Every structure is written in structure tokens, then in C-alpha cells.
Coordinates of all heavy atoms in Angstrom, one line a residue:
M1233 N -20.9 56.0 20.2 CA -20.4 55.8 18.8 C -19.4 54.7 18.8 O -18.5 54.6 19.6 CB -19.9 57.1 18.3 CG -19.4 57.1 16.9 SD -20.9 56.9 15.8 CE -20.1 56.1 14.4
V1234 N -19.6 53.7 17.9 CA -18.7 52.6 17.7 C -17.8 53.0 16.4 O -18.3 53.3 15.4 CB -19.4 51.3 17.4 CG1 -18.5 50.1 17.5 CG2 -20.6 51.1 18.4
E1235 N -16.5 52.9 16.6 CA -15.6 53.2 15.5 C -15.2 51.9 14.7 O -15.0 50.9 15.2 CB -14.3 53.7 16.1 CG -14.5 55.0 16.9 CD -14.8 56.2 16.0 OE1 -14.5 56.2 14.8 OE2 -15.4 57.2 16.5
Q1236 N -15.2 52.1 13.4 CA -14.6 51.1 12.6 C -13.1 50.8 12.9 O -12.5 51.7 13.3 CB -14.6 51.5 11.1 CG -16.0 51.3 10.4 CD -15.9 51.5 8.9 OE1 -14.9 51.2 8.3 NE2 -17.0 52.1 8.4
L1237 N -12.7 49.6 12.7 CA -11.3 49.3 12.8 C -10.5 50.0 11.6 O -11.0 50.0 10.5 CB -11.0 47.8 12.7 CG -11.6 46.9 13.8 CD1 -11.3 45.5 13.5 CD2 -11.1 47.3 15.1
N1238 N -9.3 50.5 12.0 CA -8.5 51.0 10.9 C -7.7 49.8 10.2 O -7.8 48.7 10.7 CB -7.5 52.0 11.4 CG -6.4 51.5 12.3 OD1 -6.0 50.3 12.2 ND2 -6.0 52.3 13.3
Q1239 N -6.9 50.1 9.2 CA -6.4 49.0 8.4 C -5.4 48.1 9.2 O -5.5 46.9 9.1 CB -5.6 49.6 7.2 CG -5.2 48.6 6.1 CD -6.4 47.8 5.6 OE1 -7.5 48.4 5.4 NE2 -6.2 46.6 5.2
A1240 N -4.6 48.7 10.0 CA -3.7 47.9 10.9 C -4.4 47.1 11.8 O -4.1 45.9 12.1 CB -2.7 48.9 11.5
E1241 N -5.4 47.6 12.5 CA -6.2 46.9 13.5 C -7.0 45.8 12.9 O -7.1 44.6 13.4 CB -7.2 47.8 14.2 CG -6.6 48.9 15.1 CD -7.6 49.9 15.5 OE1 -8.6 50.2 14.8 OE2 -7.4 50.5 16.5
R1242 N -7.4 46.0 11.6 CA -8.2 45.0 10.9 C -7.3 43.8 10.5 O -7.7 42.7 10.7 CB -8.6 45.7 9.6 CG -9.7 45.1 8.8 CD -10.1 46.1 7.8 NE -10.6 47.3 8.4 CZ -11.8 47.8 8.2 NH1 -12.6 47.2 7.4 NH2 -12.3 48.8 8.9
E1243 N -6.1 44.1 10.0 CA -5.1 43.0 9.7 C -4.7 42.2 10.9 O -4.7 41.0 10.8 CB -3.9 43.7 9.0 CG -4.2 44.0 7.6 CD -3.1 44.9 6.9 OE1 -1.9 44.8 7.4 OE2 -3.3 45.5 5.9
D1244 N -4.5 42.9 12.0 CA -4.1 42.2 13.2 C -5.2 41.3 13.7 O -5.1 40.1 14.0 CB -3.8 43.1 14.3 CG -2.5 43.7 14.3 OD1 -1.7 43.2 13.4 OD2 -2.1 44.6 15.1
A1245 N -6.5 41.8 13.6 CA -7.6 41.1 14.1 C -7.9 39.9 13.2 O -8.1 38.7 13.7 CB -8.9 42.0 14.1
L1246 N -7.8 40.0 11.9 CA -8.0 38.9 11.0 C -6.9 37.8 11.1 O -7.2 36.6 11.0 CB -8.1 39.4 9.5 CG -9.4 40.3 9.3 CD1 -9.3 41.0 8.0 CD2 -10.6 39.5 9.4
D1247 N -5.7 38.2 11.4 CA -4.6 37.3 11.6 C -5.0 36.4 12.8 O -4.7 35.2 12.8 CB -3.3 37.9 11.9 CG -2.6 38.5 10.7 OD1 -3.1 38.1 9.6 OD2 -1.7 39.2 10.8
G1248 N -5.7 37.0 13.8 CA -6.0 36.2 15.0 C -7.3 35.4 14.9 O -7.7 34.7 15.8
L1249 N -7.9 35.4 13.7 CA -9.2 34.7 13.4 C -9.1 33.9 12.1 O -9.7 34.2 11.1 CB -10.4 35.7 13.3 CG -10.7 36.5 14.6 CD1 -11.7 37.6 14.3 CD2 -11.2 35.6 15.7
P1250 N -8.2 32.9 12.1 CA -7.9 32.2 10.9 C -9.1 31.5 10.3 O -9.1 31.1 9.1 CB -6.8 31.2 11.3 CG -6.9 31.0 12.8 CD -7.4 32.4 13.3
D1251 N -10.1 31.2 11.1 CA -11.3 30.5 10.6 C -12.3 31.4 9.9 O -13.4 30.9 9.5 CB -11.9 29.6 11.7 CG -11.0 28.5 12.1 OD1 -10.4 27.9 11.3 OD2 -10.9 28.3 13.4
W1252 N -12.1 32.7 10.0 CA -13.0 33.7 9.5 C -12.5 34.3 8.2 O -11.3 34.5 8.0 CB -13.3 34.8 10.5 CG -13.9 34.2 11.8 CD1 -13.4 33.5 12.8 CD2 -15.3 34.4 12.1 NE1 -14.4 33.2 13.7 CE2 -15.6 33.8 13.3 CE3 -16.4 35.0 11.5 CZ2 -16.8 33.7 14.0 CZ3 -17.7 35.0 12.1 CH2 -17.9 34.3 13.3
D1253 N -13.4 34.6 7.3 CA -13.1 35.2 6.0 C -13.6 36.7 6.0 O -14.6 37.0 6.7 CB -13.8 34.5 4.9 CG -13.3 33.1 4.6 OD1 -12.0 32.9 4.7 OD2 -14.1 32.3 4.4
H1254 N -12.8 37.5 5.4 CA -13.2 39.0 5.3 C -14.1 39.1 4.1 O -13.6 38.9 2.9 CB -12.0 39.8 5.2 CG -12.3 41.3 5.3 ND1 -11.5 42.3 4.7 CD2 -13.3 42.0 5.9 CE1 -12.0 43.5 4.9 NE2 -13.1 43.3 5.7
D1255 N -15.3 39.6 4.2 CA -16.2 39.9 3.1 C -15.9 41.5 2.9 O -16.4 42.3 3.6 CB -17.6 39.6 3.5 CG -18.6 40.1 2.5 OD1 -18.3 40.9 1.6 OD2 -19.7 39.5 2.5
E1256 N -15.2 41.7 1.8 CA -14.7 43.1 1.6 C -15.9 44.0 1.2 O -16.0 45.2 1.6 CB -13.6 43.2 0.6 CG -12.3 42.5 1.1 CD -11.1 42.8 0.3 OE1 -11.1 43.8 -0.5 OE2 -10.1 42.2 0.5
G1257 N -16.8 43.4 0.5 CA -18.0 44.2 0.0 C -18.9 44.7 1.2 O -19.3 45.8 1.1
R1258 N -19.0 43.9 2.1 CA -19.8 44.2 3.3 C -19.0 44.8 4.4 O -19.5 45.3 5.4 CB -20.5 43.0 3.9 CG -21.7 42.5 3.1 CD -22.9 43.4 3.1 NE -23.3 43.9 4.5 CZ -24.0 43.3 5.3 NH1 -24.6 42.1 5.0 NH2 -24.3 43.8 6.5
D1259 N -17.7 44.7 4.3 CA -16.7 45.0 5.4 C -17.3 44.2 6.7 O -17.7 44.8 7.7 CB -16.6 46.4 5.8 CG -15.3 46.6 6.7 OD1 -14.5 45.8 6.7 OD2 -15.3 47.7 7.4
A1260 N -17.2 42.9 6.5 CA -17.8 42.0 7.5 C -16.8 40.8 7.6 O -16.0 40.6 6.7 CB -19.1 41.5 7.1
I1261 N -17.0 39.9 8.6 CA -16.3 38.7 8.7 C -17.4 37.6 8.7 O -18.4 37.7 9.3 CB -15.3 38.5 9.8 CG1 -16.0 38.9 11.2 CG2 -14.1 39.4 9.6 CD1 -15.1 38.7 12.4
T1262 N -17.0 36.4 8.1 CA -17.9 35.3 8.0 C -17.3 34.1 8.3 O -16.1 33.9 8.1 CB -18.5 35.2 6.5 OG1 -17.4 34.9 5.6 CG2 -19.2 36.5 6.0
R1263 N -18.1 33.1 8.9 CA -17.6 31.8 9.1 C -18.8 30.8 9.0 O -19.9 31.1 9.4 CB -17.0 31.7 10.5 CG -16.5 30.3 10.8 CD -15.7 30.1 12.1 NE -15.4 28.7 12.3 CZ -14.8 28.1 13.3 NH1 -14.4 28.9 14.3 NH2 -14.6 26.8 13.3
N1264 N -18.5 29.7 8.4 CA -19.5 28.6 8.2 C -19.2 27.5 9.2 O -18.1 27.1 9.3 CB -19.5 28.1 6.8 CG -19.9 29.2 5.8 OD1 -20.6 30.1 6.1 ND2 -19.4 29.0 4.5
F1265 N -20.2 27.0 9.8 CA -20.1 25.9 10.7 C -21.0 24.7 10.3 O -22.1 24.9 9.8 CB -20.6 26.3 12.1 CG -19.9 27.5 12.7 CD1 -20.2 28.8 12.4 CD2 -18.9 27.3 13.6 CE1 -19.5 29.9 12.9 CE2 -18.2 28.3 14.2 CZ -18.5 29.7 13.8
T1266 N -20.5 23.5 10.5 CA -21.3 22.3 10.1 C -21.3 21.4 11.4 O -20.3 21.2 12.0 CB -20.6 21.5 9.0 OG1 -20.5 22.4 7.9 CG2 -21.5 20.3 8.6
F1267 N -22.5 21.0 11.7 CA -22.7 20.1 12.9 C -23.2 18.7 12.5 O -23.5 18.5 11.3 CB -23.7 20.8 13.9 CG -23.1 22.1 14.4 CD1 -23.4 23.3 13.7 CD2 -22.3 22.2 15.5 CE1 -22.9 24.5 14.1 CE2 -21.7 23.4 15.9 CZ -22.0 24.6 15.2
A1268 N -23.4 17.9 13.5 CA -23.8 16.5 13.2 C -25.2 16.5 12.6 O -25.6 15.7 11.8 CB -23.7 15.6 14.4
D1269 N -26.0 17.4 13.1 CA -27.5 17.4 12.7 C -28.1 18.7 13.1 O -27.4 19.6 13.7 CB -28.3 16.2 13.4 CG -28.1 16.2 14.9 OD1 -27.8 17.3 15.5 OD2 -28.2 15.1 15.5
F1270 N -29.4 18.9 12.9 CA -30.1 20.2 13.2 C -30.1 20.5 14.7 O -29.9 21.7 15.1 CB -31.5 20.1 12.7 CG -32.3 21.3 13.1 CD1 -32.1 22.5 12.4 CD2 -33.2 21.3 14.1 CE1 -32.8 23.7 12.8 CE2 -33.9 22.4 14.5 CZ -33.7 23.6 13.8
S1271 N -30.2 19.5 15.5 CA -30.3 19.7 16.9 C -29.0 20.3 17.4 O -29.0 21.3 18.2 CB -30.6 18.4 17.6 OG -30.6 18.6 19.0
E1272 N -27.9 19.8 16.9 CA -26.6 20.4 17.4 C -26.4 21.8 16.8 O -25.9 22.7 17.5 CB -25.4 19.5 16.8 CG -25.4 18.1 17.4 CD -24.8 18.1 18.9 OE1 -24.0 19.0 19.1 OE2 -25.3 17.3 19.6
A1273 N -26.8 22.0 15.6 CA -26.7 23.4 15.0 C -27.6 24.4 15.8 O -27.1 25.5 16.1 CB -27.1 23.4 13.6
F1274 N -28.8 23.9 16.2 CA -29.7 24.9 16.8 C -29.2 25.1 18.3 O -29.3 26.3 18.8 CB -31.1 24.4 16.7 CG -32.1 25.5 17.1 CD1 -32.4 26.4 16.1 CD2 -32.7 25.6 18.3 CE1 -33.2 27.5 16.3 CE2 -33.6 26.6 18.6 CZ -33.9 27.6 17.6
A1275 N -28.6 24.1 18.9 CA -28.0 24.3 20.2 C -27.0 25.3 20.2 O -26.9 26.2 21.0 CB -27.5 23.0 20.8
F1276 N -26.1 25.2 19.2 CA -25.0 26.3 19.0 C -25.6 27.6 18.8 O -25.2 28.6 19.4 CB -24.2 25.8 17.7 CG -23.3 26.9 17.2 CD1 -22.1 27.3 17.9 CD2 -23.5 27.5 16.0 CE1 -21.2 28.2 17.4 CE2 -22.7 28.5 15.5 CZ -21.6 28.9 16.2
M1277 N -26.7 27.7 18.0 CA -27.3 29.1 17.7 C -27.9 29.6 19.0 O -27.8 30.8 19.2 CB -28.4 28.9 16.6 CG -27.8 28.6 15.3 SD -29.1 28.3 14.0 CE -29.5 30.0 13.6
T1278 N -28.4 28.8 19.8 CA -28.9 29.2 21.1 C -27.9 29.9 21.9 O -28.0 30.9 22.6 CB -29.6 28.1 21.9 OG1 -30.6 27.6 21.0 CG2 -30.2 28.5 23.2
R1279 N -26.7 29.2 21.9 CA -25.6 29.7 22.8 C -25.1 31.0 22.2 O -24.8 32.0 22.9 CB -24.5 28.6 22.8 CG -24.9 27.4 23.5 CD -23.9 26.3 23.5 NE -22.8 26.6 24.5 CZ -21.6 26.0 24.5 NH1 -21.3 25.1 23.5 NH2 -20.7 26.2 25.4
V1280 N -25.0 31.1 20.8 CA -24.6 32.4 20.2 C -25.6 33.5 20.5 O -25.2 34.6 20.8 CB -24.4 32.2 18.7 CG1 -24.1 33.5 18.1 CG2 -23.2 31.3 18.4
A1281 N -26.8 33.1 20.5 CA -27.9 34.1 20.8 C -27.7 34.7 22.2 O -27.9 35.9 22.4 CB -29.3 33.5 20.6
L1282 N -27.4 33.9 23.1 CA -27.2 34.3 24.5 C -26.0 35.3 24.6 O -26.0 36.3 25.2 CB -27.1 33.2 25.5 CG -28.3 32.3 25.7 CD1 -28.0 31.1 26.4 CD2 -29.4 33.1 26.3
L1283 N -24.9 34.9 23.9 CA -23.8 35.8 23.8 C -24.1 37.1 23.2 O -23.7 38.2 23.7 CB -22.7 35.2 22.9 CG -21.8 34.1 23.4 CD1 -20.8 33.6 22.3 CD2 -21.0 34.5 24.7
A1284 N -24.9 37.1 22.2 CA -25.3 38.3 21.3 C -26.1 39.2 22.3 O -25.9 40.4 22.2 CB -26.0 37.9 20.1
E1285 N -27.0 38.7 23.0 CA -27.9 39.5 23.8 C -27.0 40.2 25.0 O -27.2 41.3 25.3 CB -29.0 38.7 24.4 CG -30.2 38.5 23.5 CD -30.9 39.9 23.3 OE1 -31.7 40.2 24.1 OE2 -30.5 40.5 22.3
K1286 N -26.1 39.4 25.5 CA -25.3 39.9 26.6 C -24.4 41.0 26.1 O -24.2 42.0 26.8 CB -24.4 38.7 27.2 CG -23.8 39.0 28.5 CD -23.2 37.7 29.0 CE -22.4 38.0 30.3 NZ -21.6 36.9 30.7
A1287 N -23.9 40.9 24.9 CA -23.0 41.8 24.3 C -23.7 43.0 23.6 O -23.1 44.0 23.2 CB -22.0 41.2 23.3
D1288 N -25.0 42.8 23.4 CA -25.8 43.7 22.6 C -25.2 43.9 21.2 O -25.1 45.0 20.7 CB -26.0 45.1 23.3 CG -27.1 45.9 22.6 OD1 -28.0 45.3 21.9 OD2 -27.0 47.2 22.6
H1289 N -24.8 42.8 20.7 CA -24.2 42.8 19.4 C -24.6 41.5 18.7 O -24.4 40.4 19.1 CB -22.6 42.8 19.5 CG -22.0 43.2 18.2 ND1 -22.2 44.4 17.6 CD2 -21.2 42.4 17.3 CE1 -21.5 44.4 16.5 NE2 -20.9 43.2 16.3
H1290 N -25.3 41.6 17.5 CA -26.1 40.5 17.0 C -25.6 40.1 15.6 O -25.3 40.9 14.8 CB -27.5 40.9 16.9 CG -28.1 41.2 18.3 ND1 -28.0 42.5 18.8 CD2 -28.7 40.5 19.2 CE1 -28.5 42.5 20.0 NE2 -29.0 41.3 20.3
P1291 N -25.6 38.8 15.3 CA -25.0 38.3 14.1 C -26.1 38.4 13.0 O -27.3 38.4 13.2 CB -24.8 36.8 14.4 CG -25.7 36.4 15.4 CD -25.9 37.7 16.3
E1292 N -25.7 38.5 11.7 CA -26.5 38.1 10.6 C -26.2 36.7 10.3 O -25.0 36.3 10.2 CB -26.2 39.0 9.4 CG -26.4 40.5 9.7 CD -26.1 41.4 8.4 OE1 -26.2 40.9 7.3 OE2 -25.7 42.5 8.6
W1293 N -27.2 35.8 10.2 CA -26.9 34.4 10.1 C -28.0 33.7 9.4 O -29.2 34.2 9.3 CB -26.6 33.8 11.5 CG -27.7 33.9 12.5 CD1 -28.9 34.4 12.4 CD2 -27.5 33.5 13.9 NE1 -29.5 34.3 13.6 CE2 -28.7 33.7 14.5 CE3 -26.5 32.9 14.6 CZ2 -28.9 33.4 15.9 CZ3 -26.7 32.6 16.0 CH2 -27.9 32.9 16.6
S1294 N -27.7 32.5 8.9 CA -28.7 31.6 8.4 C -28.3 30.1 8.8 O -27.2 29.8 9.1 CB -28.8 31.7 6.9 OG -27.6 31.2 6.3
N1295 N -29.4 29.3 8.8 CA -29.3 27.9 9.2 C -30.0 27.1 8.1 O -31.1 27.4 7.8 CB -29.8 27.7 10.6 CG -30.2 26.3 10.9 OD1 -31.4 26.0 11.1 ND2 -29.3 25.4 10.8
V1296 N -29.3 26.1 7.6 CA -30.0 25.0 6.8 C -29.6 23.7 7.4 O -28.4 23.3 7.4 CB -29.5 25.1 5.3 CG1 -30.2 24.0 4.5 CG2 -29.8 26.5 4.7
Y1297 N -30.5 23.0 8.0 CA -30.3 21.7 8.7 C -29.1 21.8 9.6 O -29.3 22.3 10.7 CB -30.2 20.6 7.6 CG -30.0 19.2 8.3 CD1 -30.8 18.8 9.3 CD2 -29.0 18.4 7.8 CE1 -30.6 17.6 9.9 CE2 -28.7 17.2 8.4 CZ -29.5 16.7 9.4 OH -29.3 15.5 10.1
N1298 N -28.0 21.2 9.2 CA -26.8 21.1 10.1 C -25.8 22.2 9.9 O -24.7 22.2 10.5 CB -26.2 19.7 10.1 CG -25.5 19.5 8.7 OD1 -25.9 20.1 7.7 ND2 -24.5 18.6 8.7
R1299 N -26.1 23.2 9.1 CA -25.1 24.2 8.7 C -25.6 25.6 9.3 O -26.8 25.9 9.2 CB -24.9 24.3 7.2 CG -24.1 23.2 6.6 CD -23.9 23.3 5.2 NE -25.0 23.2 4.3 CZ -25.6 24.1 3.6 NH1 -25.1 25.3 3.6 NH2 -26.8 23.9 2.9
V1300 N -24.6 26.3 9.7 CA -24.9 27.7 10.2 C -23.9 28.6 9.6 O -22.7 28.4 9.7 CB -24.8 27.8 11.8 CG1 -25.1 29.2 12.3 CG2 -25.8 26.8 12.5
E1301 N -24.4 29.7 9.0 CA -23.5 30.7 8.4 C -23.6 31.9 9.2 O -24.8 32.4 9.4 CB -23.9 31.0 6.9 CG -23.7 29.7 6.0 CD -24.0 30.0 4.6 OE1 -24.2 31.2 4.2 OE2 -24.0 29.1 3.8
I1302 N -22.5 32.4 9.6 CA -22.6 33.7 10.5 C -21.8 34.8 9.8 O -20.7 34.6 9.3 CB -22.0 33.4 11.9 CG1 -22.8 32.4 12.6 CG2 -21.9 34.7 12.7 CD1 -22.4 32.1 14.0
L1303 N -22.4 36.0 9.7 CA -21.7 37.2 9.3 C -21.7 38.2 10.4 O -22.8 38.4 11.0 CB -22.4 37.7 8.0 CG -21.8 39.0 7.4 CD1 -22.0 39.0 5.8 CD2 -22.4 40.3 7.9
L1304 N -20.6 38.8 10.7 CA -20.5 39.8 11.7 C -20.1 41.1 11.1 O -19.0 41.2 10.4 CB -19.5 39.4 12.8 CG -19.8 38.1 13.6 CD1 -18.6 37.7 14.5 CD2 -21.1 38.2 14.4
T1305 N -20.8 42.2 11.4 CA -20.4 43.5 11.0 C -21.1 44.4 12.0 O -22.0 44.0 12.7 CB -20.7 43.8 9.6 OG1 -20.1 45.0 9.2 CG2 -22.2 43.9 9.4
T1306 N -20.7 45.7 12.1 CA -21.3 46.6 13.1 C -22.1 47.6 12.3 O -21.5 48.5 11.7 CB -20.2 47.2 14.0 OG1 -19.4 46.2 14.6 CG2 -20.8 48.2 15.0
H1307 N -23.4 47.5 12.4 CA -24.3 48.4 11.7 C -24.1 49.8 12.1 O -24.1 50.7 11.3 CB -25.7 47.9 11.9 CG -25.9 46.4 11.6 ND1 -26.4 45.5 12.5 CD2 -25.6 45.7 10.4 CE1 -26.3 44.3 11.9 NE2 -25.9 44.4 10.7
D1308 N -23.9 50.0 13.4 CA -23.8 51.4 13.9 C -22.5 52.1 13.4 O -22.4 53.3 13.5 CB -23.7 51.4 15.5 CG -25.1 50.9 16.1 OD1 -26.1 50.9 15.3 OD2 -25.1 50.5 17.3
A1309 N -21.5 51.2 13.0 CA -20.2 51.8 12.5 C -20.1 51.7 11.0 O -19.1 52.3 10.4 CB -19.0 51.0 13.2
G1310 N -21.0 51.0 10.4 CA -20.9 50.9 8.9 C -19.8 50.0 8.5 O -19.3 50.1 7.3
G1311 N -19.4 49.1 9.3 CA -18.3 48.1 9.0 C -17.7 47.5 10.2 O -18.3 47.5 11.3
L1312 N -16.6 46.8 10.0 CA -16.0 46.1 11.1 C -15.5 46.9 12.3 O -14.9 47.9 12.1 CB -14.8 45.3 10.6 CG -14.9 43.9 10.0 CD1 -13.5 43.4 9.7 CD2 -15.6 43.0 11.0
S1313 N -15.9 46.5 13.5 CA -15.4 47.1 14.7 C -14.8 46.1 15.6 O -15.0 44.9 15.4 CB -16.5 47.9 15.4 OG -17.4 47.0 16.0
G1314 N -14.3 46.5 16.8 CA -13.8 45.6 17.8 C -14.9 44.8 18.3 O -14.6 43.6 18.8
R1315 N -16.2 45.2 18.2 CA -17.3 44.3 18.7 C -17.4 43.1 17.9 O -17.8 42.0 18.4 CB -18.6 45.1 18.6 CG -18.7 46.2 19.7 CD -20.1 46.6 19.7 NE -20.2 47.9 20.5 CZ -21.3 48.5 20.7 NH1 -22.5 48.1 20.1 NH2 -21.4 49.6 21.4
D1316 N -17.1 43.2 16.6 CA -17.2 41.9 15.8 C -16.1 41.0 16.1 O -16.3 39.8 16.1 CB -17.1 42.4 14.3 CG -18.2 43.3 13.9 OD1 -19.4 43.0 14.1 OD2 -17.9 44.5 13.5
I1317 N -14.9 41.5 16.3 CA -13.8 40.7 16.7 C -14.0 40.0 18.0 O -13.8 38.8 18.2 CB -12.5 41.5 16.8 CG1 -12.3 42.3 15.5 CG2 -11.2 40.6 17.1 CD1 -12.4 41.5 14.2
D1318 N -14.5 40.7 19.0 CA -14.8 40.1 20.3 C -15.8 39.0 20.2 O -15.7 38.0 20.8 CB -15.3 41.2 21.3 CG -14.3 42.2 21.7 OD1 -13.1 42.0 21.4 OD2 -14.7 43.2 22.2
M1319 N -16.9 39.3 19.4 CA -17.9 38.3 19.2 C -17.4 37.1 18.4 O -17.7 35.9 18.8 CB -19.1 38.9 18.4 CG -20.3 38.0 18.2 SD -21.1 37.4 19.7 CE -21.6 39.0 20.4
A1320 N -16.5 37.3 17.5 CA -16.0 36.1 16.7 C -15.1 35.3 17.7 O -15.2 34.0 17.6 CB -15.1 36.6 15.6
Q1321 N -14.4 35.9 18.5 CA -13.6 35.1 19.5 C -14.4 34.4 20.4 O -14.1 33.2 20.8 CB -12.6 36.1 20.3 CG -11.5 36.6 19.4 CD -10.8 37.8 20.1 OE1 -11.2 38.4 21.1 NE2 -9.5 38.1 19.6
A1322 N -15.5 35.0 20.9 CA -16.4 34.3 21.8 C -17.1 33.1 21.1 O -17.3 32.1 21.7 CB -17.4 35.3 22.4
I1323 N -17.5 33.3 19.9 CA -18.1 32.2 19.1 C -17.1 31.1 18.9 O -17.4 29.9 19.0 CB -18.6 32.7 17.7 CG1 -19.8 33.7 18.0 CG2 -19.0 31.6 16.8 CD1 -20.3 34.4 16.8
D1324 N -15.9 31.4 18.5 CA -14.8 30.4 18.3 C -14.7 29.6 19.6 O -14.5 28.4 19.6 CB -13.5 31.0 18.0 CG -13.4 31.4 16.5 OD1 -14.3 31.1 15.7 OD2 -12.4 32.1 16.1
A1325 N -14.7 30.3 20.8 CA -14.5 29.6 22.0 C -15.6 28.5 22.3 O -15.4 27.5 23.0 CB -14.4 30.5 23.2
L1326 N -16.8 28.7 21.7 CA -17.9 27.8 21.9 C -17.6 26.5 21.2 O -18.1 25.4 21.6 CB -19.2 28.4 21.4 CG -19.8 29.6 22.1 CD1 -21.1 30.0 21.3 CD2 -20.1 29.2 23.5
V1327 N -16.9 26.5 20.1 CA -16.7 25.3 19.2 C -15.3 24.7 19.4 O -14.9 23.8 18.6 CB -17.0 25.6 17.8 CG1 -18.5 25.9 17.6 CG2 -16.2 26.7 17.2
E1328 N -14.5 25.3 20.3 CA -13.1 24.8 20.4 C -13.1 23.4 21.0 O -13.9 23.0 21.8 CB -12.3 25.7 21.3 CG -11.4 26.6 20.5 CD -10.8 27.7 21.4 OE1 -10.9 27.6 22.6 OE2 -10.3 28.7 20.8
Ligands
H2B2322 C1 -29.6 49.8 20.1 C2 -28.6 48.6 20.1 O1 -27.6 48.8 21.1 C3 -27.9 48.6 18.7 O2 -28.9 48.7 17.7 C4 -27.0 47.4 18.6 C5 -27.7 46.1 18.6 N1 -27.0 45.1 18.0 C6 -26.1 45.3 17.0 N2 -25.5 44.3 16.3 C7 -24.7 44.6 15.3 N3 -24.2 43.5 14.6 N4 -24.4 45.9 14.9 C8 -24.8 46.9 15.6 O3 -24.5 48.0 15.2 C9 -25.7 46.6 16.7 N5 -26.2 47.6 17.4

């Protein structure tokens, strides 16, 4: 069973992820990425896909040409969990 973050954990986690927005309706975090072209965007998605498989935690996402929109939430918990925060940090590390 995966537990949702409580309010204090949620605030701490979001403070540590300044590039991510909290979608309150979904209880999710989102970040938009823009790359030079489709090839760069898809290469990034490939790297995220490998992270997701390794963690068994998968993004909701979309891609239009050089843009990638990622939403993270934990379906098994019905909202944000530590798994989303870990995944966001790992994704951020890919683009640092
Ligand atoms: C069976 C499998 O472990 C679960 O369905 C995993 C897979 N990936 C997942 N990804 C996300 N984002 N949330 C989940 O609850 C989730 N659950």
C-alpha cells in the first residue's frame, strides 16, 4: 500500500521541487519541458521511460514536437506520494 503525503510532507516536497507545479484538482505535480527539437524531446522521454520502469512508477505525459508535459501522481494512493517526489527528483537530475 502506498500512502499519500500528508500536508507537511507535501509542502516540504514541493519546496524542494521549484520547477514543478501542484495540480490541486488531481493532487499531482506537473512540469513542462521544451527541447531543441523532437529528437531531443524523445531522447528525454526514453530516459524517463527507463527510470519509470525501474521504479515501477509511470508518468502521465504528452509530447508535441519539442515539448513534453509530465504529470506525476500515484494511482494506487489516489494522490501524491513519496514515489512522485522521488521520480520528479530523478527527472530533474536528467535535465540539470
Ligand atoms: C502493479 C504496478 O506495480 C502498479 O500498477 C504501479 C505501476 N505504475 C504506477 N505509476 C503511477 N504513477 N502510479 C501508480 O500507482 C503505479 N502503480
Side-chain angles (χ1 to χ4, degrees):
M1233 184 63 205
V1234 192
E1235 297 289 338
Q1236 278 188 35
L1237 296 179
N1238 69 34
Q1239 193 57 34
E1241 290 168 335
R1242 196 171 299 241
E1243 283 170 16
D1244 279 354
L1246 293 169
D1247 282 351
L1249 295 170
D1251 296 317
W1252 294 76
D1253 293 319
H1254 186 208
D1255 178 334
E1256 295 193 12
R1258 285 291 315 275
D1259 194 22
I1261 50 175
T1262 61
R1263 181 173 173 185
N1264 297 333
F1265 300 84
T1266 304
F1267 297 92
D1269 53 25
F1270 175 76
S1271 180
E1272 293 287 327
F1274 199 76
F1276 166 74
M1277 293 176 79
T1278 303
R1279 297 175 77 196
V1280 173
L1282 294 172
L1283 285 178
E1285 277 294 273
K1286 197 168 170 192
D1288 192 27
H1289 195 66
H1290 300 87
E1292 296 183 29
W1293 58 4
S1294 69
N1295 159 240
V1296 179
Y1297 179 50
N1298 65 336
R1299 288 185 288 115
V1300 179
E1301 297 183 7
I1302 296 185
L1303 181 148
L1304 298 174
T1305 190
T1306 301
H1307 309 120
D1308 296 340
L1312 270 185
S1313 77
R1315 288 193 190 178
D1316 302 302
I1317 306 311
D1318 293 347
M1319 182 60 60
Q1321 288 170 343
I1323 292 171
D1324 280 354
L1326 292 179
V1327 294
E1328 261 168 10

